[in-house]
Amino acid sequence: MITMDDIIRDEHPTLRTVAEEVSFPLDDQFKNLASDMIEFLKNSQDEEIAEKYDLRAGVGIAAPQLNISKKILAVHIPAELEGSEPLSLVMINPKIMSHSVQRTALQDGEGCLSVDELYEGFVPRNKRITVQYYDLDGQKVKKRFKGYPAIVIQHEIDHLNGILFYDHINEQDPFMIPEDMDIFE
Ligand SMILES: Cc1nc(NNC(=O)[C@H](CC2CCCC2)CN(O)CO)c(F)c(N2CCN3CCOC[C@@H]3C2)n1
Ligand code: NI
């Protein structure tokens, strides 16, 4: 199982590297990695397991955080958060094809399992995104996301491009709210 010891931290060069596309047919090592990533997120959200293995809670994780520089990410958002149904998926070679002009930011800012320091401030994200990606069977998927899931997915896709959340925080005024941005409560 994945634990915090497997997660590399800021300053590790892999976190600032553009990850490689994955080729199909997907070999077993990546299928196993994908299920390990989802399992980690579920474990991290289970109070007992998280306590037992000292896991920081997460709703998303990207392969580069495990020092695997490949374009693979996993998201596992429980129902109560995402608003309606839970969202649990693995994206391979994801690409944001289009996005809204309107932006949004989480009211409490963002954190990252690979960043131990706290960086306060709003992280502007596109409010709506259309993502093209491949699923574990190699099927091409094109899906629209908005609000909370869209924020999580953008945080993870950033990791595949060597970008960390605090790169987006306005240094002059971390809590500034540009005209085209609202706050996601
Ligand atoms: C918002 C939030 N971020 C948590 N952690 N950070 C992460 O997930 C990082 C990725 C998120 C940071 C902002 C957007 C994406 C991990 N990242 O570094 C991966 O690249 C949480 F844990 C969390 N929740 C709410 C849901 N709750 C359900 C019950 O269990 C506890 C859980 C706590 N919400
Ligand atoms: Ni992160």
Side-chain angles (χ1 to χ4, degrees), residues 21 71 73 91-102 124-134 141-145 149-161 163 168:
E21 297 236 323
K71 289 192 182 281
L73 69 85
M91 290 183 169
I92 295 167
N93 301 338
K95 253 167 56 184
I96 294 178
M97 305 305 284
S98 64
H99 61 79
S100 59
V101 170
Q102 181 67 23
R125 300 275 186 199
N126 300 310
K127 187 159 184 148
R128 287 178 296 282
I129 54 175
T130 300
V131 187
Q132 176 193 285
Y133 63 94
Y134 293 84
V141 180
K142 201 165 180 182
K143 216 164 168 230
R144 288 168 57 82
F145 299 92
I151 293 170
V152 177
I153 289 165
Q154 288 172 82
H155 176 114
E156 304 316 330
I157 290 179
D158 271 355
H159 275 300
L160 306 183
N161 295 308
I163 297 164
H168 299 290

Side-chain angles (χ1 to χ4, degrees), residues 112-130:
C112 182
L113 298 176
S114 295
V115 178
D116 295 328
E117 305 76 37
L118 285 179
Y119 288 88
E120 298 224 315
F122 294 137
V123 180
R125 300 275 186 199
N126 300 310
K127 187 159 184 148
R128 287 178 296 282
I129 54 175
T130 300

Side-chain angles (χ1 to χ4, degrees), residues 32-51:
N32 296 336
L33 171 65
S35 56
D36 288 351
M37 289 163 79
I38 290 286
E39 182 208 35
F40 167 79
L41 296 174
K42 288 180 179 171
N43 287 343
S44 80
Q45 294 175 23
D46 177 304
E47 258 172 50
E48 265 172 53
I49 302 175
E51 170 87 24

